[in-house]
Amino acid sequence: MTAPHQEPDGPGGARSHLPDDTLPLRLHDGPAPAAPTASASVSEPKGGAARLARSSALMAAGTIVSRVTGFLRTLVMAAAIGVGTLNDSYQVANVLPTMIYTLVGGGALNAVFVPQLVRAVKNDKDGGEAYANRLLTLVVVLLAGATTLCVLAAPLLVRMMSPDIAADPQRMALTVAFARYCLPTMFFLGIHVVLGQILNARERFGAMMWTPVLNNVVTIAGFGAFVWAFGGFARSGVSPTTITPEGVRLIGLATLLGLAVQALAMFPYLRKAGVRLRPRFDFRGHGLGKAVGLAKWTLLFVLANQLGLTVVTQLATKAGAAAERAGHSGAGITAYNFALQIWQMPQAIITVSVMTAVLPRISRAAHSGDAGAVRDDISYGLRTSAVAIVPCAFAFLALGLPMATLLYGSSDAQGAEGVGHALMAFGLGLIPYSAQYVVLRGFYAYEDTRTPFYNTLVVALVNAAASALCFALLPARWAVTGIAASYGLAFAVGIAVAWRRLRRRLGGDLDGARVLRTYARLCTAAAPAALAAGAASTALLHALGTHVLGSLTALVVGATVLFSLFLALARLLELPELNAMFALLRSRRGR
């Protein structure tokens, strides 16, 4: 599938079934290496630094493997069905279960029930086991009913997501067929998330990060079998009008089986943690009512997010179809989603891993009224993640084209360029996207779901308005590039709003001067490095072409220039977070 559980921190994006935000939740397709681990010593209480570092490292390793196999999945997907309108139909069908799951309760589960689970584990005599069983029972009943209704309503849902597809009888029939395989995955997605949150509340983070690898492996096998049976896209040119029912069934079953395996793989982890699962229907008087009351604002939060996603999907599928009719493939929702998945990787590996490990501690500090500790952890998360997020954002801006042509050029050369342009447009938006993710954890720690709703509404409106403007003003082949840039713009507005609100919540102090100084120094080092890297890679692409060798050479040379120059400039600026990272790396080499 494309993006699993994730708390919708912003509208219009798309995630995959990768652990992007549940840990500590976008849509489509999907949830530290050294950076978070290294900086664990920066402004960290000594007693928690080692455990935080171990948790972050475990989650980072799982996320890296998940993301790598996720990339392999998209590569095999592109090799099987290309990056054009056929894949657009699959993307529309595949985003529906994540979208509906999040609407039904995914956002509330992450934002509201995690603090409740933490408290139940800490305060209840049974270690929170009864509360966890009631929650799991509630999720199973709710999602079973919602999944049944959605499968029956698949034509209506597809029409809602893309009127352009609905206007074409052949594409409509194809997308509905895909949707009826994809929609049941929302049930398994919900099971996976709730079981993962039960483990997270016990500070056992590995399962949530590693089980998506199984999903990716099953999906890769399914699309690989499609290539073996029907030939690769470069040779077959398969389209919505030529794909066979057997081909649709193969892709659909692989998608469904992948999520089922991902969910079922959680049970051995639960047994190892000593958690005994059994149905419990005694919901009244055990805290679930309070959590449901808190969830009403999260539901509105999620609704705003999904409305933004719907607008983006409608505009991108319409632009992609128009561009393909004009002879330009790879300018639709598939290019947008593939670029988004690459762009989100630093966020998933770094920011999410750090904040997942920190989130239980922030919740405890908020519960005890220690605003200073909440502030310190938010500042720590922002500064720690920025050390890697900022240079990665500039790298996408400078090197997005050779990244995409290297990954997808052999399957669909023109489509790969569309992915690359979208990736460049996403680029710098990674900075506010990551920062807002961290800041919103502060509101969730106080069980404040109303403020994130208002913030997300602002982001959704800006994203939808800017995306619609790009669709109206730009040629069809460039509309998705503009829509990708709109995503980052929306988060830049969103982080400004969220920052002011959280600062007031914490008594007017959010360590702002220190945080802004860190970001300013990082951008000062990254901007000239990106300019030099972009110039070098562009010259090489023009000289060597966008085939595998040319793209690889441009990417390697560009990345070497960018990160070497960035590190040299950053060291001159004497960033303590960066120095801590190098110190930790040196100490590990010495062991």
Side-chain angles (χ1 to χ4, degrees):
M1 225 157 161
T2 52
H5 47 270
Q6 304 186 59
E7 173 180 338
D9 277 350
R15 302 177 179 179
S16 64
H17 281 320
L18 302 175
D20 216 1
D21 185 340
T22 55
L23 339 249
L25 181 23
R26 177 215 116 79
L27 274 152
H28 317 31
D29 238 88
T37 305
S39 49
S41 60
V42 179
S43 299
E44 250 326 271
K46 291 183 179 179
R51 183 170 58 185
L52 176 61
R54 286 193 298 270
S55 297
S56 294
L58 175 63
M59 290 182 292
T63 302
I64 290 171
V65 176
S66 292
R67 289 287 167 170
V68 169
T69 54
F71 282 139
L72 292 176
R73 182 191 65 231
T74 63
L75 291 175
V76 178
M77 187 184 300
I81 59 176
V83 190
T85 53
L86 174 57
N87 207 330
D88 284 357
S89 291
Y90 176 76
Q91 296 293 322
V92 169
N94 199 28
V95 75
L96 281 170
T98 305
M99 179 179 179
I100 296 167
Y101 158 74
T102 308
L103 279 170
V104 169
L109 179 63
N110 285 281
V112 177
F113 288 103
V114 171
Q116 298 291 335
L117 278 168
V118 170
R119 292 190 179 94
V121 169
K122 179 181 178 182
N123 299 327
D124 293 359
K125 293 180 179 179
D126 63 352
E129 186 172 290
Y131 186 93
N133 279 313
R134 292 185 189 98
L135 177 59
L136 178 61
T137 304
L138 181 63
V139 169
V140 168
V141 172
L142 184 63
L143 284 180
T147 300
T148 302
L149 292 175
C150 289
V151 170
L152 295 174
L156 179 62
L157 295 172
V158 171
R159 187 172 290 108
M160 174 196 71
M161 288 300 293
S162 180
D164 187 71
I165 288 179
D168 183 332
Q170 285 185 309
R171 289 191 69 196
M172 178 64 174
L174 171 66
T175 309
V176 169
F178 278 138
R180 286 190 164 134
Y181 287 106
C182 292
L183 282 165
T185 63
M186 64 184 284
F187 176 81
F188 296 105
L189 175 57
I191 299 302
H192 178 260
V193 172
V194 71
L195 296 180
Q197 296 294 22
I198 291 170
L199 289 169
N200 282 357
R202 288 161 173 78
E203 298 189 1
R204 294 174 178 261
F205 304 107
M208 184 69 87
M209 310 304 295
W210 285 95
T211 49
V213 174
L214 299 174
N215 174 22
N216 289 332
V217 169
V218 172
T219 308
I220 288 169
F223 278 95
F226 184 97
V227 173
W228 178 80
F230 302 102
F233 179 80
R235 180 169 59 86
S236 70
V238 63
S239 70
T241 60
T242 60
I243 188 170
T244 64
E246 292 78 13
V248 173
R249 187 179 306 119
L250 178 58
I251 291 172
L253 287 174
T255 302
L256 177 56
L257 182 60
L259 259 294
V261 170
Q262 176 177 305
L264 295 174
M266 299 294 287
F267 287 95
Y269 289 93
L270 289 160
R271 284 197 298 270
K272 186 176 180 180
V275 179
R276 295 171 298 175
L277 297 178
R278 61 195 64 184
R280 294 197 64 147
F281 295 91
D282 53 333
F283 303 132
R284 291 183 177 274
H286 296 284
L288 290 177
K290 175 187 176 183
V292 171
L294 291 169
K296 64 183 179 183
W297 288 106
T298 302
L299 177 60
L300 294 173
F301 172 106
V302 168
L303 182 60
N305 183 55
Q306 304 315 308
L307 289 175
L309 170 61
T310 302
V311 170
V312 166
T313 302
Q314 290 180 352
L315 295 176
T317 53
K318 190 174 182 66
E324 191 157 303
R325 288 193 296 269
H328 303 287
S329 67
I333 191 65
T334 300
Y336 182 94
N337 286 352
F338 281 13
L340 185 63
Q341 182 175 351
I342 299 171
W343 179 77
Q344 287 178 331
M345 187 172 184
Q347 158 84 357
I349 294 175
I350 300 154
T351 313
V352 171
S353 295
V354 171
M355 294 311 296
T356 300
V358 173
L359 185 59
R361 194 174 65 215
I362 295 179
S363 297
R364 288 191 290 268
H367 184 61
S368 63
D370 190 350
V374 174
R375 177 205 60 208
D376 290 343
D377 281 327
I378 294 295
S379 173
Y380 161 75
L382 287 167
R383 291 179 292 104
T384 298
S385 58
V387 172
I389 290 294
V390 170
C392 286
F394 279 91
F396 289 138
L397 177 63
L399 306 174
L401 190 57
M403 286 182 194
T405 55
L406 176 63
L407 289 170
Y408 305 108
S410 59
S411 300
D412 185 344
Q414 192 177 63
E417 292 188 13
V419 175
H421 293 141
L423 183 55
M424 294 174 68
F426 274 119
L428 297 183
L430 184 65
I431 299 172
Y433 176 71
S434 173
Q436 177 168 292
Y437 180 93
V438 175
V439 170
L440 289 187
R441 302 313 105 179
F443 296 110
Y444 296 144
Y446 286 100
E447 297 183 346
D448 177 2
T449 54
R450 180 169 59 178
T451 301
F453 159 67
Y454 287 129
N455 192 80
T456 297
L457 185 60
V458 171
V459 175
L461 291 173
V462 174
N463 188 39
S467 296
L469 190 63
C470 290
F471 178 82
L473 298 180
L474 297 175
R477 65 175 298 191
W478 295 110
V480 161
T481 303
I483 292 171
S486 301
Y487 195 54
L489 173 64
F491 277 99
V493 175
I495 184 59
V497 174
W499 181 274
R500 288 196 300 269
R501 288 177 176 269
L502 185 60
R503 186 176 59 187
R504 288 198 299 268
R505 181 66 184 259
L506 297 180
D509 182 13
L510 201 51
D511 202 16
R514 187 181 183 191
V515 170
L516 292 177
R517 186 165 58 248
T518 298
Y519 277 89
R521 289 179 176 178
L522 288 168
C523 289
T524 299
L531 183 62
S537 66
T538 300
L540 287 169
L541 284 177
H542 281 303
L544 302 176
T546 57
H547 51 72
V548 172
L549 181 60
S551 299
L552 179 60
T553 302
L555 181 58
V556 170
V557 171
T560 301
V561 170
L562 191 152
F563 288 106
S564 298
L565 186 54
F566 167 77
L567 289 174
L569 293 173
R571 292 295 294 272
L572 289 175
L573 293 171
E574 298 181 348
L575 282 161
E577 293 82 4
L578 189 64
N579 292 335
M581 180 191 301
F582 285 125
L584 181 62
L585 291 174
R586 284 194 297 268
S587 68
R588 286 186 171 181
R589 283 201 303 269
R591 289 178 183 175

